[in-house]
Structures are given as structure tokens and as C-alpha cells.
Amino acid sequence: MENRKGAMNMKGYLCEDTVEGIFTGVYDAWVSGMEIGHENVRLFLKRQYEPELFFEYEEVFSDADKAEKVARTIRKKISGEAFRRVYRTAMSSQPDRADAIYRFLMEGFRYKEDTLRMLQLPAVGRVFELARKVANEAHLFLEFIRFKQLKNGVLFAVIAPKSNVLTLVAPHFEDRFSGENWIIYDETRALAAVHEALKPYAIARLTEEQAGVFLDKNKEKDGYTDLWKVFFNTIGIEDRKNYRCQRTMMPLWYRKHMTEFL
């Protein structure tokens, strides 16, 4: 696997944009890296990469067993916190997240539990940065998600996050609204966290038709929406309004589906 100048070609693995897909890519890439050197292997997301010279690309198909082996190895050989950080990184919207995880694991399997404290290493610092941004976004959505009760009694909320935060926010509402039927729909990814009363939530991919049914129902008028807007406007003190502070505490990005700003 050499080019005309005799230099070693790089091997690129194209993985699916899911946690399972990225972890499968890590598994396959690691096997290859043990033969040709991990520095000669890179991970890419199938729809978020541009072909480069001197790269030999191989498509990776998600494999649950391989992904589980990677997850188990991270917990065992590095730490549980390392796995949580890697998982959050996989939820990021940044196109380099798959390769960032691979570089982090190269350091992690070398330095074990000490890895998380070695932020001076570029790979560790990058994963720390991506994981923190995802965690911050998920934390904000815990406060900014707005449910609307549909006529069938289901609580329905729409979000459009930059990162894939559904699996990070759903457990909170599963605990808080355990006795309710609710759906949180991520319109960016056409994914939904679906919760049936007193049962664990599940992640489902909705078709355009399925999503359309709920979105149409969500547009229906109800008295509680108007009451909430009146309450929001009434409690504000005109002389103390500070829109700059408001944008800091409640960024414009999150207001698209917040009742009080519709």
C-alpha cells in the first residue's frame, strides 16, 4: 500500500454517523492500525468527508457486537468517565468527531486512567472540548424544552439541536414524567425519543409522514399556550428588561420552539 514515491498510503475508514457506526469504525481501524501503524489510519463520517490524495478508503457497516466490544474496552482499560466523554463526543456535530475519538483512544490505551488529566495532549484536549460542548447543549435543553399536550393526551416537544442530545436529555424526562406519554422530536435528525407511561423510553426514526402528523397536531391552538405567553409577558418588568443578558442566558438558537417566543 505505497504510492509512486514509495511513501506509505493512508487508510481511511468511512463510518456511519451513529455511536454504533463510529465505534465499529474504531474497531476496524484499530485492527488495521496494528498492522500499518495507527498514525496511518484515520476515521471519517460517510457524508462529511472530502477525498484526499494518497488515501485508500474502506466503507464500514455498523456492527453491534464490534461496537459493544469497543465500549467495554474503553470502560475496562481507561475508565467509565472516559467512556462518557467519548460517547458525548460521538454526539457532537463536528465532522472530525470520529477521528478525534480514535486519536483519544490511542492515548487512552497508553496512559490508562491518567489520560483524562492530560489535556496538553491535542487528542485529549479535542475530545474534552467536543464532549463539553455537547454536555452544555444538553443541559440547556433540559430547561428550554417546551411540551404541548396534544388532543390525544400525548405531551409533544420539538427541538432542533446542533448536537445529537436526545439520549442525554430523555432520561431526565423519563424520570420527571414517568407516568406520562410523551415524545421529544429532533427535527434536525428526524429522531424521536418516545416514552409510554411507566415504561423506558425508546429512540425511533420517524418518516416524513409520521413526523408530519405530530407536527400538524402541534400547530393546533390551545388555551394553555396563550396563557403561558400572557404570563411570560406579564411578569416582566419593563424598566429592568435587558435583552443582551437575555440572549446570553437564553441564546436565540434555542428559541425556535420555545412557546413564549413563538
Side-chain angles (χ1 to χ4, degrees), residues 246-258:
Q246 186 186 64
R247 285 194 296 271
T248 300
M249 303 299 294
M250 191 181 293
L252 297 177
W253 175 265
Y254 297 91
R255 302 184 190 186
K256 181 178 179 181
H257 298 294
M258 295 181 67

Side-chain angles (χ1 to χ4, degrees), residues 15-29:
C15 51
E16 297 173 5
D17 186 10
T18 62
V19 175
E20 186 176 286
I22 292 174
F23 281 15
T24 303
V26 168
Y27 184 97
D28 290 351

Side-chain angles (χ1 to χ4, degrees), residues 137-146 168-173:
E137 185 174 15
H139 177 73
L140 288 173
F141 268 109
L142 294 182
E143 302 177 29
F144 297 156
I145 286 179
R146 299 289 185 261
L168 300 179
V169 302
H172 170 82
F173 294 102

Side-chain angles (χ1 to χ4, degrees), residues 23-245:
F23 281 15
T24 303
V26 168
Y27 184 97
D28 290 351
W30 199 268
V31 173
S32 179
M34 293 177 67
E35 297 178 0
I36 65 175
H38 295 297
E39 68 278 4
N40 296 315
V41 177
R42 289 182 62 188
L43 285 182
F44 301 92
L45 298 174
K46 291 181 181 179
R47 298 181 180 180
Q48 299 183 28
Y49 86 102
E50 295 182 4
E52 301 179 27
L53 291 175
F54 308 123
F55 262 88
E56 177 185 332
Y57 293 99
E58 181 175 326
E59 188 172 2
V60 175
F61 298 96
S62 295
D63 185 301
D65 291 335
K66 290 180 178 179
E68 178 55 34
K69 288 179 181 178
V70 170
R72 187 166 58 245
T73 301
I74 295 173
R75 295 189 187 98
K76 182 179 179 180
K77 293 191 174 181
I78 309 179
S79 68
E81 177 57 32
F83 173 76
R84 285 187 287 273
R85 198 166 293 183
V86 166
Y87 182 85
R88 289 170 182 166
T89 299
M91 298 288 98
S92 170
S93 61
Q94 295 303 307
D96 69 325
R97 57 190 177 277
D99 197 61
I101 290 173
Y102 189 80
R103 304 295 144 200
F104 171 82
L105 295 180
M106 288 171 57
E107 306 290 2
F109 294 144
R110 178 182 179 185
Y111 296 110
K112 311 300 181 182
E113 291 184 3
D114 293 334
T115 308
L116 296 180
R117 295 191 291 271
M118 305 175 74
L119 296 178
Q120 73 276 12
L121 299 177
V124 179
R126 181 57 175 162
V127 163
F128 175 81
E129 176 188 8
L130 294 179
R132 181 176 61 179
K133 287 182 178 179
V134 171
N136 288 343
E137 185 174 15
H139 177 73
L140 288 173
F141 268 109
L142 294 182
E143 302 177 29
F144 297 156
I145 286 179
R146 299 289 185 261
F147 285 98
K148 180 176 181 179
Q149 187 171 37
L150 306 181
K151 290 183 178 180
N152 59 7
V154 173
L155 301 178
F156 184 74
V158 183
I159 60 175
K162 295 180 181 179
S163 305
N164 186 2
V165 299
L166 264 184
T167 57
L168 300 179
V169 302
H172 170 82
F173 294 102
E174 181 182 61
D175 179 59
R176 294 290 300 274
F177 298 152
S178 60
E180 302 288 344
N181 297 314
W182 53 258
I183 297 174
I184 302 175
Y185 178 62
D186 179 350
E187 66 176 5
T188 303
R189 298 166 183 81
L191 291 176
V194 182
H195 178 266
E196 186 177 351
L198 304 178
K199 293 184 179 180
Y201 79 91
I203 299 296
R205 184 172 295 279
L206 301 186
T207 65
E208 185 175 344
E209 182 179 357
Q210 290 171 330
V213 171
F214 285 105
L215 292 173
D216 287 342
K217 291 182 178 179
N218 194 50
K219 294 177 182 178
E220 296 176 358
K221 293 279 188 178
D222 69 3
Y224 288 104
T225 299
D226 294 334
L227 285 174
W228 176 249
K229 290 182 179 180
V230 170
F231 171 77
F232 177 77
N233 293 323
T234 301
I235 63 172
I237 301 174
E238 189 67 31
D239 294 338
R240 300 186 65 180
K241 287 184 177 179
N242 186 331
Y243 293 106
R244 179 178 296 180
C245 179

